[in-house]
Amino acid sequence: MVAPLTPSASDRIGRIVVLLSGRGSNFLALLQAIEAHRWPMQVVGVLSNRGQAGGLAHARTRGIPVQVISHRDYPTREAFDAAMAEVVGPWQPDVVVLAGFMRILSADFCQRFGHQMLNIHPSLLPSFKGLHTHQQALEAGVTLHGCTVHAVTAELDHGPILAQAVVPVLPDDDADRLAARVLTMEHRLYPMAVAAVVSGRCRLDNGRWHDVGRGDFDHDFHACLFAENP
Ligand code: GRF
């Protein structure tokens, strides 16, 4: 079945909704890339489960609508996700971007937005799912590490992979140094991948991403990026 991704008409501004829980450096990188490249896409709303999330400031200073819904106010994951869907739905997103959103999403929410929902995870999936990915990579002794942009499914860190960026693991790395190097690549990879989906260039079909070569607007897309040698 071809996922009903909404292709943007060439004169249309792609609508992005961002979900975040923390500092929002990936959200900021996305905003800066949209501004720098003049991509015809716009963040139309930001939803957070934490009122203190630092990333909300990036939205507020730009006049982007912000909503905070605390998961603590809802008895179940399903009830919380239903409340989020009531906010996200009317924003009419072409793509929902998870940018450090620290809640697991229910099957219902994924079914509603999953064909157009992206996440960035700080490891080369399918390795090192979950938390503490940089420590996991160091403990496993891998020589390459990185980050992955994938479609969101109800199974944590499992959805179809769209793009990855690779960094070397250096002999004197600790988890913080490695995290910083991966984060630099996240900031390059995620905006490019979001643009690829918003433009209609990359489409999810039968559980796999297909790069159809060009979308409604021009932008760079590489399914894999390599960090320059440090
Ligand atoms: C990033 O490491 C991202 O890979 C993970 O959560 C972190 C969010 O960081 N999903 P930020 O809030 O975007 O700075």
Side-chain angles (χ1 to χ4, degrees):
M1 191 192 88
V2 177
L5 181 80
T6 317
S8 313
S10 49
D11 58 348
R12 198 171 163 269
I13 305 291
R15 299 173 66 83
I16 298 167
V17 167
V18 172
L19 271 52
L20 57 78
S21 304
R23 68 191 161 183
S25 71
N26 276 288
F27 170 42
L28 180 61
L30 176 63
L31 291 170
Q32 289 174 337
I34 293 170
E35 285 159 13
H37 296 282
R38 297 172 185 259
W39 288 329
M41 53 196 223
Q42 181 182 3
V43 177
V44 296
V46 176
L47 176 60
S48 179
N49 63 314
R50 287 188 56 240
Q52 303 307 314
L56 296 177
H58 304 312
R60 291 193 171 114
T61 57
R62 288 166 172 80
I64 298 168
V66 166
Q67 287 271 358
V68 175
I69 301 181
S70 173
H71 55 281
R72 295 178 200 282
D73 294 340
Y74 294 86
T76 62
R77 186 184 307 288
E78 285 68 25
F80 170 59
D81 284 9
M84 286 204 302
E86 277 182 26
V87 170
V88 173
W91 277 333
Q92 299 185 295
D94 295 306
V95 175
V96 176
V97 171
L98 306 192
F101 184 67
M102 299 302 285
R103 304 298 303 169
I104 296 173
L105 294 165
S106 63
D108 279 357
F109 194 89
C110 292
Q111 198 168 345
R112 174 143 179 210
F113 298 105
H115 61 278
Q116 53 188 18
M117 187 156 55
L118 298 174
N119 182 43
I120 188 157
H121 180 76
S123 79
L124 293 174
L125 290 173
S127 294
F128 314 135
K129 300 183 171 85
L131 299 174
H132 311 301
T133 55
H134 310 299
Q135 191 59 38
Q136 289 189 55
L138 290 172
E139 283 167 14
V142 294
T143 58
L144 295 174
H145 184 43
C147 53
T148 302
V149 178
H150 63 94
V152 177
T153 59
E155 203 174 349
L156 185 67
D157 302 333
H158 258 88
I161 290 172
L162 172 60
Q164 295 185 300
V166 180
V167 305
V169 179
L170 302 179
D172 60 348
D173 268 343
D174 60 18
D176 288 344
R177 272 195 288 271
L178 192 51
R181 202 151 353 94
V182 170
L183 191 63
T184 300
M185 295 305 285
E186 291 184 35
H187 296 163
R188 286 174 56 191
L189 186 74
Y190 208 8
M192 178 188 78
V194 171
V197 176
V198 173
S199 75
R201 173 174 170 162
C202 289
R203 295 168 191 202
L204 198 54
D205 185 5
N206 266 331
R208 278 197 177 262
W209 287 101
H210 294 275
D211 180 352
V212 296
R214 55 172 297 157
D216 290 336
F217 56 88
D218 283 337
H219 60 87
D220 242 9
F221 177 71
H222 305 281
C224 189
L225 288 183
F226 294 89
E228 283 141 18
N229 289 333

